[in-house]
């Protein structure tokens, strides 16, 4: 308790020294111009990339072998959202892009079972209808799931992601993050999130 009190005193002393003991007012006019600067955009991009986390790497599937010719990328979410990710991956390896549809899960499952590995690119929080298909697929071929969604969303959907050979939490679907994740998958960059 003594140690806690001492630390609180230090924090309060710094706040006082910085003038934070008085109400702070934000000048609203021109706020957007002050915040929307190139250096702010660069900082946000660096922070997004730094939050990319490898949550699972069963059997050392990551980084991926580039010589495997039979790789599919299943997109869950709007097709155009995964385009930067697919384009970047295609620079390193041949990747067949397949769009998921909830009404054709059986057809998709049969099609994906023919591949040596599957990368699942999740760009929506509404993917619960695909969980059974993904679990069944993971029992047949190595599956790497990339969640371009929030961590909260992954945990709220249950532990199905633990059955995957590889799991990457990207936290954002921005083009820069998609390119970075593609680099992480093939070992050109590191995922530094924790």
């Amino acid at each position: 308790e003594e140690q806690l009190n001492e630390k609180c005193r230090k924090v309060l002393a710094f706040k006082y020294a910085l003038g934070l003991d008085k109400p702070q007012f934000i000048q609203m006019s021109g706020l957007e111009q002050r915040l929307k600067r190139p250096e702010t955009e660069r900082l946000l991009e660096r922070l997004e990339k730094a939050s990319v986390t490898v949550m699972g790497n069963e059997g050392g599937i990551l980084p991926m072998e580039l010589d495997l010719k039979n790789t599919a990328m299943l997109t869950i979410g709007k097709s155009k959202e995964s385009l930067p990710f697919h384009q970047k991956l295609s620079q390193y390896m041949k990747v067949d892009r397949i769009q998921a549809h909830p009404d054709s899960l059986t057809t998709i499952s049969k099609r994906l079972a023919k591949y040596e590995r599957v990368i699942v690119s999740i760009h929506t929080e509404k993917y619960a209808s695909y969980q059974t298909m993904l679990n069944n697929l993971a029992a047949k071929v190595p599956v790497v799931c990339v969640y371009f969604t929030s961590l909260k969303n992954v945990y709220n959907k249950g532990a199905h992601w633990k059955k995957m050979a590889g799991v990457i939490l990207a936290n954002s679907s921005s083009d820069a993050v998609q390119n970075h994740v593609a680099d992480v998958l093939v070992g050109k960059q590191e995922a530094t999130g924790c």
Side-chain angles (χ1 to χ4, degrees):
E1 188 177 327
E2 177 72 30
Q3 192 177 23
L4 180 62
N5 287 337
E6 180 60 30
K7 290 182 186 281
C8 286
R9 275 191 218 94
K10 283 184 181 180
V11 169
L12 291 173
F14 280 118
K15 285 180 78 171
Y16 183 79
L18 294 170
L20 298 176
D21 59 323
K22 298 172 185 79
Q24 304 296 307
F25 299 99
I26 297 173
Q27 177 64 37
M28 297 304 287
S29 65
L31 181 63
E32 187 174 340
Q33 291 86 354
R34 292 193 310 273
L35 293 176
K36 203 157 185 86
R37 300 183 345 217
E39 53 270 20
T40 306
E41 297 297 320
R42 286 191 300 272
L43 174 62
L44 290 173
E45 184 177 310
R46 280 191 9 239
L47 291 171
E48 284 181 331
K49 288 178 179 179
S51 73
V52 172
T53 306
V54 174
M55 293 175 57
N57 189 12
E58 192 67 33
I61 193 168
L62 301 174
M64 295 185 135
E65 296 177 35
L66 299 179
D67 57 349
L68 283 179
K69 304 284 187 247
N70 204 6
T71 302
M73 185 183 101
L74 175 68
T75 298
I76 299 176
K78 293 179 183 172
S79 180
K80 66 179 180 179
E81 291 179 350
S82 68
L83 194 55
F85 185 53
H86 180 257
Q87 288 173 335
K88 186 68 172 186
L89 277 176
S90 295
Q91 292 176 8
Y92 301 121
M93 64 179 93
K94 182 182 179 316
V95 181
D96 295 334
R97 189 165 172 235
I98 300 168
Q99 179 63 45
H101 298 282
D103 55 346
S104 59
L105 296 180
T106 304
T107 305
I108 292 170
S109 293
K110 287 178 184 174
R111 190 171 170 197
L112 291 173
K114 298 174 186 174
Y115 287 91
E116 292 180 62
R117 65 182 169 200
V118 176
I119 300 165
V120 181
S121 177
I122 300 173
H123 294 265
T124 180
E125 295 184 3
K126 299 175 183 171
Y127 64 90
S129 60
Y130 300 98
Q131 289 180 12
T132 301
M133 179 195 71
L134 293 176
N135 288 339
N136 293 337
L137 183 63
K140 298 174 189 170
V141 297
V143 176
V144 176
C145 278
V146 181
Y147 295 90
F148 291 100
T149 60
S150 71
L151 176 65
K152 179 184 110 181
N153 181 49
V154 174
Y155 280 117
N156 286 345
K157 301 294 186 208
H160 74 279
W161 58 270
K162 292 180 182 179
K163 298 176 183 174
M164 305 300 144
V167 179
I168 295 180
L169 180 63
N171 299 300
S172 167
S173 198
S174 73
D175 291 3
V177 170
Q178 290 188 54
N179 289 330
H180 179 70
V181 170
D183 287 341
V184 168
L185 279 175
V186 299
K188 302 281 184 189
Q189 294 286 332
E190 289 186 20
T192 56
C194 52

